[in-house]
């Protein structure tokens, strides 16, 4: 990352001057990105827009079709002293992609902001599958990955045994394995279209 | 629950702080060691799905251990990698159940089930802890552990009720594992301060909840809970079966050759 210090130097001179000169009213965008569709409409701030665009370019390397906002991983964006702070709430605590996603977020946002970027891993709010947006769910399905059920903290054995097939929408499916190729997936078989498929587990 | 909530980990001091450090070591070490034991099935489980399940659970448990070690690091303990790879057996605070060699498939399944049930009970309690960062983490981990318990439960029911041979092996595994599982709830000198601060319930309370959680599943699997066997304690004060040393000798091999190696 290229260190861009001019704004930070301003910030150090005085807080008032910082606010006047900085023209970075990111403090205005202390928003919960779960409401991202609404948030887009409310943004009147070019930098906030640029940050959102940057975040939209970052995906989970294991699910490359869905970006981090659609996945609901971004818990908040705010200005703190002289840096942009992004809170990310991980899908699975032991997810090996976590460090990669975190660094990709930092790099993408750093490219559009003149100040330092810090990415925090937080567990409040906890990530649940409810945080995946409607767009995200559609993309998961198109990717052949059945989206998690909508029932919060669902994921009962009964629900898993009737997971809807992402290819033909049948519920005549069997649970083959509670665990799959990544921590977040289970494996199923559709008796209607005779196709194996994976499912993003509800947590 | 105590009225006072500890919003941040650095709000802790004195005996309570010491008690939390001890609790976090118990939680983290149990996770790390059972995670490592799970990983011993990678490439060796009876069927592919079972192999993937144990490998996934290993990854989950180690991730959870890392999260607990990170909290410890915030409390001034060493960094997570050093805590995992740079400590001797007597410095570990895990229960004997997680140290035992993986044994046969029946034993590994049964151990996993007994352990996951204890974690569910514990995480449910901790998700209401007065120590806010721990409560948040526990709430998060509980959602993931749910799948471990579902997995263990379905296998215990299947193997307990399948053939005479599988039933016999599962009963033998239960007879062997149960006193070690009771050791998960070994009382410590920190029970009282943790309970009084509303951070964690006492171990005997968690044990009661665990017994009522596992009993119906074991009964449905046609298994008899051994009675009158004394719990096997010692793990929480650093007294472990030799199996832990053997495990750590392997797990820490590279680190011990060169603690600064990047890998």
């Amino acid at each position: 990352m290229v260190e861009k210090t001019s704004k930070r130097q301003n910030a150090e001179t005085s807080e008032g001057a910082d606010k006047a000169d900085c023209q970075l009213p990111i403090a205005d965008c202390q928003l919960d990105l779960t409401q991202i569709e609404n948030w887009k409409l409310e943004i009147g701030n070019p930098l906030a827009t640029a940050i959102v665009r940057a975040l939209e370019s970052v995906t989970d390397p294991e699910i490359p079709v869905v970006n981090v906002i659609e996945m609901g991983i971004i818990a908040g964006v705010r200005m703190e002293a002289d840096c942009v702070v992004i809170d990310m709430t991980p899908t699975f605590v032991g997810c090996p992609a976590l460090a990669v996603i975190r660094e990709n977020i930092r790099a993408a946002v750093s490219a559009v902001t003149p100040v330092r970027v810090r990415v925090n891993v937080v567990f409040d709010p906890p990530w649940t599958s409810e945080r995946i947006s409607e767009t995200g769910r559609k993309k998961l399905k198109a990717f052949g990955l059945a989206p998690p059920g909508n029932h919060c903290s669902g994921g009962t054995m009964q629900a898993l045994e009737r997971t809807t097939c992402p290819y033909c929408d049948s519920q005549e499916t069997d649970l083959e394995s509670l665990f799959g190729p990544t921590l977040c997936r289970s494996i199923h078989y559709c008796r209607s279209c005779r196709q194996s498929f994976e499912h993003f587990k509800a947590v | 629950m105590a009225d006072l909530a500890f919003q941040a980990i650095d709000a802790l001091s004195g005996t309570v702080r010491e008690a939390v450090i001890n609790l976090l070591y118990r939680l983290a070490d149990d996770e790390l060691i059972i995670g490592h034991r799970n990983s011993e099935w990678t490439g060796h489980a009876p069927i592919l799905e079972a192999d993937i399940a144990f490998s996934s659970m290993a990854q989950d448990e180690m991730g959870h251990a890392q999260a607990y070690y990170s909290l410890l690091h915030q409390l001034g303990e060493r960094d997570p990698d050093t805590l995992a790879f740079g400590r001797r057996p007597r410095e570990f605070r895990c229960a004997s159940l997680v140290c035992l060699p993986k044994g046969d498939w029946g034993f590994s399944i049964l151990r996993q089930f007994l352990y996951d049930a204890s974690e569910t009970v514990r995480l449910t309690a901790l998700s209401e802890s007065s120590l806010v960062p721990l409560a948040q983490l526990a709430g998060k981990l509980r959602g993931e552990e749910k799948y471990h318990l579902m997995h263990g439960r379905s296998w215990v029911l299947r193997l307990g009720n399948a053939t005479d041979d599988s039933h016999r092996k599962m009963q033998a595994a239960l007879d062997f594992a149960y006193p070690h599982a009771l050791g998960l709830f070994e009382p410590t000198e920190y029970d009282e301060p943790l309970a009084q601060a509303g951070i964690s319930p006492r171990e005997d309370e968690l044990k009661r909840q665990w017994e009522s959680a596992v009993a119906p599943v074991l009964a449905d699997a046609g298994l008899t809970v051994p009675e009158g066997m004394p719990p096997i304690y010692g793990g929480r004060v650093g007294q472990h079966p030799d199996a832990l040393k053997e495990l750590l000798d392997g797990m820490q091999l590279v680190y011990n050759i060169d603690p600064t190696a990047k890998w």
Side-chain angles (χ1 to χ4, degrees):
Chain A
M1 177 200 166
V2 181
E3 271 291 303
K4 297 170 188 171
T5 52
S6 61
K7 301 291 181 192
R8 292 176 61 193
Q9 281 163 357
N10 279 345
E12 279 158 17
T13 52
S14 99
E15 208 170 83
D18 169 41
K19 280 178 184 160
D21 297 344
C22 189
Q23 298 180 334
L24 296 175
I26 306 174
D28 292 347
C29 69
Q30 295 186 5
L31 292 163
D32 179 357
L33 297 205
T34 50
Q35 301 298 322
I36 187 63
E37 264 93 4
N38 298 332
W39 189 40
K40 274 181 191 167
L41 300 174
E42 291 168 11
I43 297 172
N45 173 337
L47 182 63
T49 308
I51 291 174
V52 172
R53 293 279 170 271
L55 289 170
E56 283 173 341
S57 73
V58 181
T59 60
D60 179 334
E62 286 171 336
I63 312 169
V65 292
V66 184
N67 70 47
V68 290
I69 292 176
E70 292 161 340
M71 279 298 288
I73 296 172
I74 306 297
V77 180
R78 64 184 183 280
M79 192 67 183
E80 208 172 77
D82 60 348
C83 77
V84 174
V85 179
I86 296 168
D87 288 334
M88 70 177 280
T89 180
T91 52
F92 280 65
V93 174
C95 178
L98 195 63
V100 177
I101 298 172
R102 187 181 183 185
E103 174 52 25
N104 290 351
I105 289 173
R106 197 201 57 75
V109 177
S110 291
V112 299
T113 57
V115 292
R116 227 155 32 83
V117 176
R118 195 173 81 233
V119 184
N120 283 336
V121 175
V122 300
F123 300 112
D124 178 37
W127 187 88
T128 70
S129 23
E130 302 279 301
R131 293 182 63 91
I132 304 179
S133 73
E134 273 313 307
T135 314
R137 285 168 193 278
K138 285 181 187 141
K139 287 185 180 176
L140 286 176
K141 187 168 181 284
F143 187 56
L145 191 54
N150 265 318
H151 35 83
C152 183
S153 71
T156 60
M157 211 60 176
Q158 289 82 348
L160 281 164
E161 280 161 357
R162 290 178 57 78
T163 298
T164 305
C165 173
Y167 300 112
C168 74
D169 294 322
S170 167
Q171 289 195 340
E172 298 297 310
T173 62
D174 294 324
L175 170 65
E176 296 275 295
S177 173
L178 277 168
F179 297 91
T182 67
L183 290 184
C184 51
R185 306 188 206 184
S186 51
I187 304 174
H188 304 255
Y189 179 77
C190 176
R191 278 178 272 127
S192 298
C193 69
R194 299 185 181 181
Q195 174 74 39
S196 284
F197 66 91
E198 291 168 8
H199 162 243
F200 199 111
K201 285 188 256 189
V203 293
Chain B
M1 195 58 62
D3 296 334
L4 186 70
F6 303 95
Q7 293 297 334
I9 202 104
D10 50 20
L12 298 166
S13 62
T15 315
V16 175
R17 181 185 171 97
E18 198 184 314
V20 166
I21 289 176
N22 180 271
L23 172 67
L24 289 170
Y25 270 116
R26 285 183 268 148
L27 293 166
D29 291 346
D30 276 355
E31 289 284 79
L32 180 72
I33 301 304
I34 196 134
H36 191 83
R37 285 296 185 208
N38 286 343
S39 77
E40 292 173 344
W41 283 107
T42 303
H44 299 277
I47 52 172
L48 182 61
E49 286 81 0
D51 198 304
I52 293 168
F54 265 75
S55 305
S56 295
M57 290 192 293
Q59 211 175 23
D60 273 336
E61 312 291 25
M62 287 186 187
H64 299 173
Q66 190 178 27
Y68 290 129
Y69 287 137
S70 298
L71 287 180
L72 279 167
H73 191 40
Q74 290 175 39
L75 281 163
E77 300 295 291
R78 289 169 287 173
D79 68 281
D81 278 351
T82 310
L83 292 180
F85 297 112
R87 282 182 302 149
R88 310 314 307 154
R90 66 173 183 284
E91 297 174 84
F92 278 74
R93 292 291 173 267
C94 45
S96 62
L97 182 75
V98 300
C99 301
L100 299 171
K102 75 180 194 298
D104 65 12
W105 180 245
F107 171 75
S108 269
I109 285 292
L110 195 89
R111 162 170 59 187
Q112 191 62 33
F113 167 70
L114 296 176
Y115 177 75
D116 287 334
S118 82
E119 258 210 296
T120 302
V121 163
R122 207 177 274 281
L123 291 173
T124 302
L126 290 178
S127 67
E128 292 176 5
S129 174
S130 61
L131 178 55
V132 174
L134 180 59
Q136 289 170 352
L137 179 60
K140 174 68 188 150
L141 300 188
R142 191 172 50 154
E144 301 181 14
E145 292 290 348
K146 175 177 72 183
Y147 290 97
H148 298 198
L149 188 59
M150 267 193 230
H151 170 264
R153 182 178 179 279
S154 68
W155 268 102
V156 166
L157 292 173
R158 201 179 313 171
L159 293 176
N161 294 314
T163 64
D164 287 346
D165 190 35
S166 74
H167 180 270
R168 188 178 49 73
K169 286 182 175 174
M170 291 303 276
Q171 185 63 55
L174 181 61
D175 292 344
F176 176 56
Y178 206 79
H180 290 281
L182 290 171
L184 289 165
F185 307 99
E186 177 177 343
T188 75
E189 59 183 296
Y190 300 108
D191 280 19
E192 209 53 43
L194 288 170
Q196 276 181 9
I199 290 172
S200 167
R202 289 177 188 80
E203 293 298 308
D204 58 355
E205 168 58 26
L206 293 169
K207 186 181 84 173
R208 266 195 299 280
Q209 292 179 21
W210 172 79
E211 283 169 329
S212 16
V214 297
V217 179
L218 295 171
D220 285 351
L223 301 171
T224 310
V225 174
E227 277 182 30
M229 296 182 90
I232 296 174
Y233 288 153
R236 304 309 192 192
V237 290
Q239 294 158 5
H240 305 289
D242 291 343
L244 180 64
K245 183 182 180 304
E246 290 155 23
L247 180 152
L248 292 178
D249 282 347
M251 191 181 86
Q252 300 177 334
L253 182 68
V254 176
Y255 182 90
N256 286 334
I257 293 170
D258 180 3
T260 64
K262 297 271 179 224
W263 42 288

